[in-house]
Each structure stands twice: as C-alpha cells, then as structure tokens.
Amino acid sequence: HPSGRFLGTTSFDHTWRLWDCETGAQVLLQDGHGKEVYSLSFQVDGSVVATGDFAGIIHIWDLRSGNKVHTFLGHSKKVLAADFAPDGYVLATASDDHTVRVWDLRRRVCDYVLPAHANLVSDVKWDPSTGEALATSSFDGAVVVWCARDFSPLATLTAHDGKAMSLDFVRHGFTTPALVTAGFDRTFKVWVPP
C-alpha cells in the first residue's frame, strides 16, 4: 500500500486480503472472484485497488467502502500483473493471452490493447516518476519499454536466457529511471538508459 502501513495479498482461494503491517492483523478480506486471484495493484493515493484473476477478470475495489466498484472484461486468459499509472486513472494489465491492456477508469473502457509479446506477459510497470513509459516482461525472454503516448516500442531488451519473470523501475542512484529485471535463468539485471 502506498502508505507503507498496509500490505495486500492475493490467493488461490479466490480472495484477496489487506493486512496491517504494524500489528499483523487482517484488516480486510474480500471475495468476489470466481477463480484464483493472482495480481493486485494499489492506486497512487491508496484509495482504490485493482485485482486480476485466472479467468481474465479485473475487479476495481474502493478501499474506503470495501465495495467492488467496477469490473473489466477483455483478457481471454489469466491476468498475471497489474499496475496503476502515476495519474491514478489508467491501469495496465498483463496476461497469459500475450497482451497488455490499458484501461481508463474514468470512462470505464479499454483504451488500448498491446499485442506485446510472443508468450505470456509476466509483468507490467509504469515509470512511476512521469508515467511516460510502460515496461513489460515476458516468457519470450524479452523486456519491452513502450511510449505511453502512442504505445510504440521505445526499446526491446533481450533480457534473459528463457523467461523474463518480473521487472521494476528504479531511480535511487540514477539520474534517469533505470529498469531492473529478473529472469528464470537465476539472474537479475539493471538496465540504464544511454
């Protein structure tokens, strides 16, 4: 959770939970998914959370009321990752259907479908500082950095021997955001823009 006080977890029991990190107590237990829940992302102010499941369904939850406020349908296979853009109104989801979908929460529509990779998309992250870039990793071994304005590829990195498992942006110690990727080849790599 953006506050640092709470932790969200997903489960194969079709639920997700919110925990208090200081006390270890469960604060919230949410059901509503019909399949295993695998992905979770908090909006930047922490008031909204998105969860994705193995049926390809994304639910949007209001943490202030504890209610589900919207459902997005579109992925044909498992939702494996989700990430809110820094503006808080755009959500990207990655799937076993080899695509990334970009959802507009205000208009409640899918704005864009990226036929991103040749295998399942394992992770998706927005550049948290500007939101101008979106990065994806895949079991095809590649990591792609996309321009968030028109979703054209800015860079394709042959990141790992085999599956690229996850990624994230990092700023600490760098003048511009760098990428950290982790692979099934038991390595992690730091990628710095030229």
Side-chain angles (χ1 to χ4, degrees):
H1 190 270
S3 70
R5 182 175 173 195
F6 303 104
L7 175 71
T9 60
T10 60
S11 176
F12 275 32
D13 67 5
H14 305 189
T15 69
W16 68 273
R17 297 168 194 247
L18 190 67
W19 303 87
D20 186 315
C21 293
E22 294 175 8
T23 66
Q26 177 181 293
V27 177
L28 184 65
L29 166 63
Q30 291 288 68
D31 56 8
H33 283 278
K35 291 279 188 177
E36 297 87 342
V37 186
Y38 197 78
S39 63
L40 180 144
S41 178
F42 291 103
Q43 193 180 39
V44 291
D45 69 359
S47 62
V48 174
V49 63
T51 56
D53 69 21
F54 276 14
I57 297 170
I58 300 114
H59 290 315
I60 308 298
W61 307 82
D62 185 334
L63 285 182
R64 296 161 292 197
S65 67
N67 294 326
K68 180 172 41 177
V69 294
H70 191 67
T71 298
F72 287 118
L73 304 173
H75 285 295
S76 61
K77 293 187 177 179
K78 302 171 184 174
V79 177
L80 301 173
D83 194 40
F84 276 100
D87 65 12
Y89 301 110
V90 178
L91 175 73
T93 56
S95 174
D96 193 8
D97 65 11
H98 306 190
T99 69
V100 170
R101 288 183 177 261
V102 179
W103 310 90
D104 185 316
L105 269 67
R106 291 176 290 190
R107 295 185 299 122
R108 298 183 177 199
V109 297
C110 179
D111 267 346
Y112 207 87
V113 180
L114 284 86
H117 290 275
N119 206 324
L120 70 79
V121 185
S122 55
D123 208 354
V124 60
K125 293 287 184 193
W126 293 96
D127 175 352
S129 57
T130 65
E132 291 291 318
L134 179 71
T136 59
S137 61
S138 171
F139 276 19
D140 64 12
V143 169
V144 180
V145 181
W146 308 86
C147 174
R149 294 179 187 193
D150 61 2
F151 296 106
S152 59
L154 297 173
T156 300
L157 311 170
T158 307
H160 295 276
D161 297 330
K163 305 167 185 172
M165 303 300 291
S166 64
L167 60 87
D168 206 351
F169 284 91
V170 62
R171 286 197 67 90
H172 184 72
F174 299 99
T175 55
T176 58
L179 270 178
V180 176
T181 63
F184 199 68
D185 59 5
R186 300 180 182 176
T187 66
F188 72 91
K189 297 180 181 181
V190 180
W191 305 83
V192 181

